[in-house]
Amino acid sequence: MTIRENVLRVREAVAAVTDRPVLLVAATKMNAADRVREAVAAGVDACGENRVQELLEKDALGAYAGAPLHFIGHLQTNKVNKLVGRVDLIQSVDSAELVRLIGRRAAALGLTQDVLLEISIAGEAQKSGAAPEMLGELLALAGETAGIRVRGLMCVPPISEKIGGNQRYFVKMRQLFIDNSEKKYDNVSMDFLSMGMSDDYTEAVAEGANVIRVGSAIFGARDYGRG
Ligand SMILES: *Cc1c(COP(=O)(O)O)cnc(C)c1O
């Protein structure tokens, strides 16, 4: 299967579940610039990168070919200044400190950075993501922070052994998304619910995701042994 065929297959699988528009973000980590360009040419809506250094290197090679660029990995505070203003959306903001630092940098550059708040929906302490109970506080903080605009929520549930294993987390996320869409904060518009990866994007879409982040189902399995 080529990258183009894989992208088509993902689109068809999504269309079989919903008529709603769903943003297909290619999770491009560990894939070289030419393969990323192939995915962009095949019509993915955006590229999502996990590491700031890899993003900057591949961007310099023209990997994203003008496609919208998202950051989807764990963001270290010392990398914030390199990232703000370079990406259309930072999907993985999970602390008050990141909200403040991103806002400060964006304001200094005279721009507004769009972000999603990443939620640790399964409550795994070792993983990134803010606890669901922290969400109200983060939204209120974003509301009073210049330079940042929250566009929705994101989650990376645990790797599930069985098909359907993450459904309850998707349901919880949708509820959180709906509950907080009804509250009114400045600088917050709940437009995007980003959940679902190669193994479970159709389930996520069925539960309301309108952004999916798909890597191996587009590019094939990642080779962690290389480089
Ligand atoms: C790698 C990655 C994905 C895509 O994973 P696949 O299982 O290969 O589709 C999605 N989201 C994040 C945050 C990732 O790091």
Side-chain angles (χ1 to χ4, degrees), residues 6 10 12 15 41 64 118 207:
N6 287 338
V10 171
E12 282 167 9
Y64 311 114
E118 180 179 354
E207 298 301 343

Side-chain angles (χ1 to χ4, degrees), residues 1-220:
M1 285 286 217
T2 64
I3 288 174
R4 176 172 296 277
E5 286 166 338
N6 287 338
V7 168
L8 269 177
R9 211 161 45 153
V10 171
R11 292 279 193 204
E12 282 167 9
V14 168
V17 178
T18 185
D19 298 331
R20 288 181 289 112
V22 173
L23 206 75
L24 173 56
V25 180
T28 49
K29 61 174 174 270
M30 301 179 72
N31 281 283
D34 57 335
R35 293 170 60 76
V36 177
R37 267 194 299 270
E38 230 179 296
V40 172
V44 299
D45 296 303
C47 296
E49 221 33 275
N50 282 71
R51 291 169 161 275
V52 174
Q53 191 57 36
E54 188 175 342
L55 180 151
L56 297 177
E57 284 169 17
K58 277 149 79 171
D59 199 20
L61 295 171
Y64 311 114
L69 184 53
H70 295 184
F71 187 79
I72 63 176
H74 176 66
L75 180 55
Q76 294 168 276
T77 51
N78 63 353
K79 299 282 169 62
V80 164
N81 286 0
K82 289 188 170 162
L83 196 62
V84 170
R86 280 188 176 263
V87 293
D88 298 278
L89 185 67
I90 303 174
Q91 293 206 8
S92 43
V93 174
D94 64 355
S95 70
E97 190 183 15
L98 278 176
V99 169
R100 287 196 196 93
L101 289 172
I102 290 168
R104 187 187 304 163
R105 174 65 174 170
L109 294 173
L111 50 85
T112 300
Q113 178 68 62
D114 279 356
V115 307
L116 304 183
L117 297 179
E118 180 179 354
I119 303 300
S120 168
I121 197 65
E124 302 164 286
Q126 78 282 12
K127 290 220 343 201
S128 27
E133 310 79 67
M134 288 288 299
L135 181 56
E137 205 172 299
L138 288 177
L139 288 170
L141 175 64
E144 61 195 34
T145 303
I148 199 165
R149 182 169 53 173
V150 175
R151 302 293 304 276
L153 304 180
M154 180 268 221
C155 76
V156 184
I159 311 264
S160 121
E161 275 101 61
K162 55 180 197 318
I163 292 172
N166 281 332
Q167 200 218 3
R168 64 202 159 118
Y169 299 126
F170 295 148
V171 170
K172 273 187 171 177
M173 279 297 288
R174 182 185 55 192
Q175 199 53 52
L176 211 53
F177 183 74
I178 291 170
D179 290 348
N180 285 281
S181 301
E182 286 158 4
K183 299 175 189 158
K184 286 278 167 274
Y185 298 95
D186 289 335
N187 306 343
V188 174
S189 60
M190 285 286 172
D191 303 314
F192 299 119
L193 179 55
S194 173
M195 56 186 193
M197 316 194 336
S198 290
D199 287 339
D200 54 17
Y201 63 87
T202 54
E203 295 162 51
V205 166
E207 298 301 343
N210 60 3
V211 179
I212 55 175
R213 309 174 311 268
V214 181
S216 46
I218 291 176
F219 297 107

